[in-house]
Amino acid sequence: MESKGLGDTIEAITTATGIKAVVDAVAAITKKDCGCAKRKEALNAAFPYNK
């Protein structure tokens, strides 16, 4: 998948380093949304990669 912007790049890095798995586990335990999807979309909108 090609990154649309900064949000996609940050998601790829956190997935590769295992941070996303930890955040997802904590979110499941606390039953609260981490807000990752909204943050990713906001960052993609603010910092898009125009090719």
Side-chain angles (χ1 to χ4, degrees), residues 3 5-17 39 43 49:
S3 293
L6 182 61
D8 290 336
T9 301
I10 291 174
E11 181 183 43
I13 292 168
T14 58
T15 300
T17 58
R39 189 175 307 108
L43 286 169
Y49 297 152

Side-chain angles (χ1 to χ4, degrees), residues 5-6 21 24 30-31 42:
L6 182 61
D24 289 342
T30 61
K31 296 182 177 33

Side-chain angles (χ1 to χ4, degrees), residues 29-51:
I29 291 169
T30 61
K31 296 182 177 33
K32 293 183 180 179
D33 182 30
C34 68
C36 295
K38 289 180 185 177
R39 189 175 307 108
K40 179 177 95 167
E41 292 305 319
L43 286 169
N44 281 345
F47 303 100
Y49 297 152
N50 298 326
K51 296 185 177 185

